[in-house]
Amino acid sequence: MSKATTGSQRVNPAGTWRLVDGPPPPLSERLGRLVGLRTLRLPGSRGVLVVAGTPERLHDLLHAYPEALTPTTRARIVVVYWRSPRAGWSGRIGPLDHLVRHRVALPRMGRGPATVRLRLRHPAPLRDIVRGAVDALGPTRPLPAPVSANLTGWGGLPAYLPAQLGASVVAGALPLSSDIRAHDVVLRHPTVAEPGGPAQDQPYAVAVPAGRHGVTAPGGGTVLLVDARRINPKGRRAGAYRPDAPGVRLELDPRGNARRARGGADRHPLGGPGLDAATLATLRQVGVVECPPLTDERPVETAALLVQLAMTGAVLRIPALPPRVAELIRPELRDLLTRPLPAGDPLALEARSVRQRRAALRGHAAGFALPQVTADALPELARPPSVSAILATRRAEMLAGAVRAIVDQTYPELELVLCLHGIDLPAEVAALLAESGRPYEIVRVPAGTGFGAALGEATRRARGSLVTKFDDDDSYGVEHVWDLVLARHYSGATLVGKGAEFVFLETLGTTVRRPSGAPESDGEVVAGGTMLLAKGDLEAVGGWRPVPRSVDYGVLDRLRRDGAAIYRTHPFGYVYHRRESGHTWDPGQQYFLDTAFARWPDIPAEAFANPEPTGTGTASDPRSSVPSSDAVHSGA
């Protein structure tokens, strides 16, 4: 039998890091650390036993363990502490070639030990088998795409290679195919020699030199990459930004050796895969990571660590970025990391966290950054998923503001589907659409049509891979759609949205913040004016119900009954408005005042977490870094 060791224990190059003075872990994480991650093969058996303290440790196995490439026909995967993503969760084993038998046993009370057993007719890498088991334990849905590349890790297992269909690892010669090009994008490990001969004779579209933390761009230079399905803000504690919230300190030694430190804290090698499950559990509880003075030694490893820390949502306080480290970090994130932290304002600190994680995900998540690297060979992959923003209204007086909120979004691949519910299009709105540069579609339905049926007609005309719903009387930040797409990527949920935490009481001119479900977590309800999901997933459950009201509840209920996962990201960028009347659910204004834990006159700017001005005095525009389609419009 063998015990799997962490990536930090397997490699021992010079340079270490660790987090110190952090908060004590919760009970579930203490159990997870006690169990750790073990892969065992009994003598005389062709099967493998995988024991993980928590589901997050299975993701570590998929990215950082050589044992993951071991072929086997039988596997038993045990997670000692598993928690159901939602009440009534019913996961399914992911696709596995030659699957003969499987069994999933989940704890009756929704938390406790979970076991997945699988048997295959022919051997498959343990990584593929564990990936199939993970699908049964939590949401893993990839972003929809009309075209995407198969990824091949050649000669090694990059930590940023996503654990999904279409991503594989090859140790020896690249397999060939007489039916189709065998590989699209090859991530070539440094130990693999560059193939000779003309590029058109190779079994791939493009091969990219790949290191542990990123790839070499065609023009030279390293592009840092992170698998956002493993390193992300999921599970962040809502109270992490309060003045009395715990912090943590980063110790960085570019010349040290990995070893067990006093007090039981691990030193991780800079050359290792980066953050592991135990480190992520610590970072979920803290608001600020205090960084030491940084040097130019080991710039790639140091920059990669900073990017991964930023991606979790813990705010970094960095004295200064050395030039060789700074040049490896995307400009949007680099600008944020070099700014002083807001003092004495928990809302501003939390907004900084949102901006920081957004910049890290947008600039360094492999799902978005790698297609940019391969854009010369495969330009069609460089665009993010297309989104159709659906706005259905019968209030002409609300149209201009609502349309402006959509066309001002920074997301590049955004179409507006405007459903006029028994009203005409005002001239000023027509001019706004024509000047927006956005593709848009005008849908007209009679005034007597139910709201659900009207949304259904708008959805029928939508051309985006993803659809999201805007409400005409709420307020949105310009990064709102980006927030939803990023959350859809790293959560793997079928539907994502935001909670209605920020509520503007129009009669009082006051904004309150109230609890609306735990942010950055799986749940069952999100605000209707923030829902985003794939158009195919919406249609697969029957679309919108043809009811006059409560249409949002109808969709959420259908998704839950179908076994879908629902994820609630952070609440910034969405402000729910309450008026004197006209609401389907109306508990009274006093309800919102009584449940509030913070309030402001008017709407605080930080509630939107819009981009901060750059050093040039203007806000950075994320649309400029991603190509967008030409604007088109049509009417009906």
Side-chain angles (χ1 to χ4, degrees):
M1 295 189 295
S2 66
K3 175 181 176 179
T5 54
T6 65
S8 61
Q9 291 171 312
R10 257 193 300 280
V11 293
N12 191 26
T16 64
W17 65 272
R18 65 169 178 160
L19 298 179
V20 295
D21 301 332
L27 178 61
S28 59
E29 177 55 23
R30 291 202 296 271
L31 179 60
R33 295 181 186 185
L34 179 65
V35 175
L37 176 63
R38 294 171 168 84
T39 59
L40 309 170
R41 186 186 289 273
L42 297 175
S45 171
R46 293 180 296 173
V48 174
L49 171 65
V50 178
V51 181
T54 59
E56 291 78 11
R57 285 163 171 82
L58 288 181
H59 289 282
D60 287 351
L61 173 65
L62 293 173
H63 292 86
Y65 286 75
E67 293 91 337
L69 304 182
T70 303
T72 185
T73 57
R74 301 180 183 181
R76 180 178 180 182
I77 296 133
V78 179
V79 178
V80 175
Y81 185 82
W82 174 84
R83 184 172 181 174
S84 177
R86 65 171 181 83
W89 168 258
S90 177
R92 305 175 179 92
I93 294 293
L96 273 174
D97 287 344
H98 310 295
L99 180 64
V100 174
R101 184 180 305 145
H102 71 272
R103 180 184 178 188
V104 179
L106 302 178
R108 181 172 299 179
M109 301 303 294
R111 64 181 67 188
T115 303
V116 181
R117 299 182 182 183
L118 305 107
R119 183 174 178 179
L120 279 64
R121 182 176 294 108
H122 301 295
L126 180 60
R127 184 176 191 265
D128 293 351
I129 298 174
V130 171
R131 182 188 64 205
V134 165
D135 285 359
L137 302 177
T140 59
R141 215 168 186 82
L143 275 172
V147 59
S148 64
N150 279 357
L151 304 177
T152 304
W154 187 14
L157 176 58
Y160 46 84
L161 183 68
Q164 64 186 40
L165 291 176
S168 59
V169 180
V170 175
L174 289 175
L176 304 178
S177 172
S178 59
D179 300 319
I180 193 173
R181 184 176 63 206
H183 313 273
D184 296 324
V185 176
V186 170
L187 306 175
R188 181 171 55 83
H189 192 268
T191 58
V192 177
E194 186 172 0
Q200 62 269 22
D201 294 338
Q202 304 300 336
Y204 49 75
V206 58
V208 183
R212 180 175 287 276
H213 293 296
V215 298
T216 302
T222 298
V223 178
L224 300 177
L225 299 175
V226 181
D227 180 13
R229 295 297 301 276
R230 184 172 71 95
I231 298 176
N232 54 56
K234 287 186 68 173
R236 281 203 62 74
R237 301 294 186 264
Y241 309 99
R242 297 171 184 163
D244 59 347
V248 74
R249 183 164 51 87
L250 173 67
E251 281 189 356
L252 197 62
D253 183 359
R255 299 183 179 181
N257 290 317
R259 64 182 185 275
R260 193 79 173 178
R262 294 179 187 176
D266 279 327
R267 287 188 181 274
H268 304 275
L270 275 172
L275 308 185
D276 58 10
T279 307
L280 290 170
T282 297
L283 292 168
R284 291 188 191 107
Q285 304 179 73
V286 303
V288 177
V289 177
E290 300 285 350
C291 299
L294 304 175
T295 71
D296 267 339
E297 294 184 75
R298 311 295 297 272
V300 171
E301 293 83 354
T302 300
L305 177 60
L306 297 178
V307 167
Q308 292 186 25
L309 290 168
M311 204 171 280
T312 69
V315 180
L316 276 62
R317 192 197 308 272
I318 302 175
L321 280 176
R324 294 177 64 203
V325 174
E327 68 183 9
L328 294 165
I329 300 174
R330 291 295 297 236
E332 182 188 4
L333 177 59
R334 181 173 64 227
D335 182 67
L336 285 168
L337 295 182
T338 55
R339 291 171 178 255
L341 298 192
D345 185 353
L347 183 68
L349 183 64
E350 190 173 357
R352 168 65 66 86
S353 166
V354 169
R355 295 184 182 105
Q356 177 192 276
R357 72 183 81 161
R358 181 194 295 145
L361 288 160
R362 189 157 51 199
H364 294 281
F368 296 99
L370 184 56
Q372 301 295 318
V373 176
T374 61
D376 288 346
L378 299 168
E380 62 275 12
L381 305 184
R383 291 175 173 173
S386 57
V387 178
S388 292
I390 296 176
L391 174 65
T393 183
R394 60 179 61 191
R395 295 181 287 198
E397 71 277 8
M398 309 291 286
L399 260 179
V403 170
R404 171 61 68 186
I406 296 175
V407 300
D408 281 351
Q409 292 293 308
T410 59
Y411 194 77
E413 293 291 324
L414 183 64
E415 171 199 44
L416 193 161
V417 180
L418 177 57
C419 181
L420 301 175
H421 199 174
I423 61 174
D424 294 324
L425 182 65
E428 64 169 319
V429 177
L432 176 59
L433 290 170
E435 297 167 1
S436 70
R438 296 283 192 190
Y440 63 89
E441 182 88 10
I442 305 296
V443 180
R444 293 177 170 86
V445 297
T449 305
F451 190 42
L455 287 171
E457 188 58 33
T459 302
R460 189 193 311 275
R461 301 279 288 275
R463 289 167 290 197
S465 298
L466 296 160
V467 293
T468 187
K469 178 173 170 284
F470 275 67
D471 283 347
D472 61 4
D473 55 352
D474 295 332
S475 297
Y476 297 86
V478 299
E479 299 269 41
H480 171 71
V481 173
W482 255 121
D483 289 341
L484 297 178
V485 174
L486 292 172
R488 175 66 173 76
H489 175 54
Y490 63 74
S491 71
T494 304
L495 180 144
V496 299
K498 298 180 179 181
E501 287 196 21
F502 296 102
V503 182
F504 182 59
L505 304 174
E506 293 188 355
T507 58
L508 299 180
T510 298
T511 297
V512 299
R513 188 174 185 184
R514 67 186 186 100
S516 183
E520 299 296 357
S521 67
D522 297 301
E524 298 199 22
V525 177
V526 297
T530 70
M531 299 189 301
L532 177 139
L533 73 167
K535 181 181 178 182
D537 289 337
L538 176 58
E539 293 180 334
V541 297
W544 306 90
R545 290 183 58 191
V547 293
R549 58 180 59 194
S550 300
V551 292
D552 306 327
Y553 177 84
V555 167
L556 292 171
D557 182 61
R558 281 183 168 180
L559 288 167
R560 286 191 295 262
R561 290 173 179 271
D562 193 55
I566 298 168
Y567 185 82
R568 187 186 303 107
T569 186
H570 64 79
F572 285 74
Y574 173 68
V575 179
Y576 175 54
H577 286 237
R578 295 292 300 191
R579 303 173 306 282
E580 282 189 295
S581 61
H583 298 284
T584 302
W585 173 67
D586 191 3
Q589 186 170 261
Q590 194 62 39
Y591 167 83
F592 297 96
L593 294 170
D594 291 342
T595 57
F597 59 84
R599 64 180 66 188
W600 302 266
D602 207 352
I603 301 176
E606 292 289 23
F608 295 113
N610 286 333
E612 293 180 346
T614 63
T616 60
T618 59
S620 59
D621 186 355
R623 284 179 290 186
S624 62
S625 62
V626 184
S628 180
S629 58
D630 295 331
V632 297
H633 72 275
S634 60

